[in-house]
Amino acid sequence: MEKVRIITLGGLDETYKNMTLIEVNNEIYVIECGIKFPDKTKPGVDYIAPRYDYLLENKDRVRGYFLTHGHDSILGALPYIYQKVPAPIYCTKTTQLFFVGFCVHNHIDPALYNIIVVEPSDDVVIGNRKISLFGTACNFTESFGVSISTEQGNVVYISNFVVHNDYDKGFIHDTA
């Protein structure tokens, strides 16, 4: 039986700095890799990134990064962590544009990264593992969730999403 572990390095019980690892046996899949902006008590600090010692210690096991959408809280730490822990980056075209913009803003060459553009409904196969992406209702276009297949069932990750408690029928396209 496969051993499955879910490790949250950031974003849990806080806003921003999202980073979750899904570990299946000897494979690590990183979902989101974000930053947090400092408050006024941290002058001179531009960004706060999650502690990623575990990734450094296990960098040969990292199979890929999945950026569910293009907010800095989702992708902002990746340009810095990737330099020490490289692996393919899976994201949509829109998220890629925001990632490249973040890199350029911070004087980092975006050509250094292995980016694989996906659609929010794609299936990705890494080794023998099937990873299914699915569209989510987020305030960022082309956002997606991630479902990683294991022998024990799927591990499903959903990032930011919008629940519409006061659904507005004005969003429905009436063809009648």
Side-chain angles (χ1 to χ4, degrees), residues 37-105:
F37 294 100
D39 60 24
K40 63 183 177 183
T41 65
K42 296 173 181 63
V45 174
D46 293 328
Y47 308 121
I48 301 170
R51 286 196 58 163
Y52 60 98
D53 303 19
Y54 187 79
L55 280 181
L56 283 171
E57 294 165 9
N58 295 282
K59 67 181 179 181
D60 295 335
R61 298 174 47 214
V62 176
R63 300 295 179 251
Y65 294 93
F66 291 85
L67 302 179
T68 62
H69 61 282
H71 286 135
D72 293 345
S73 62
I74 303 301
L75 59 77
L78 186 54
Y80 307 102
I81 294 173
Y82 185 94
Q83 294 172 19
K84 296 179 181 175
V85 186
I89 301 166
Y90 298 87
C91 64
T92 64
K93 184 67 175 168
T94 303
T95 299
Q96 178 190 27
L97 292 171
F98 277 79
F99 179 75
V100 167
F102 185 89
C103 289
V104 169
H105 176 77

Side-chain angles (χ1 to χ4, degrees), residues 131-148:
I131 300 172
S132 298
L133 310 179
F134 55 92
T136 59
C138 176
N139 60 1
F140 198 96
T141 187
E142 291 188 327
S143 64
F144 62 80
V146 180
S147 177
I148 300 174

Side-chain angles (χ1 to χ4, degrees), residues 101-174:
F102 185 89
C103 289
V104 169
H105 176 77
N106 289 286
H107 311 289
I108 301 169
D109 182 5
L112 299 173
Y113 305 94
N114 177 13
I115 298 174
I116 300 168
V117 175
V118 295
E119 294 293 324
S121 59
D122 281 353
D123 289 334
V124 176
V125 177
I126 300 175
N128 293 323
R129 181 128 355 253
K130 179 183 174 187
I131 300 172
S132 298
L133 310 179
F134 55 92
T136 59
C138 176
N139 60 1
F140 198 96
T141 187
E142 291 188 327
S143 64
F144 62 80
V146 180
S147 177
I148 300 174
S149 65
T150 75
E151 290 176 356
Q152 298 186 54
N154 292 339
V155 177
V156 178
Y157 180 95
I158 300 174
S159 186
N160 298 353
F161 59 92
V162 177
V163 176
H164 235 313
N165 290 330
D166 58 345
Y167 181 71
D168 181 356
K169 292 185 180 181
F171 287 105
I172 297 176
H173 177 65
D174 188 3

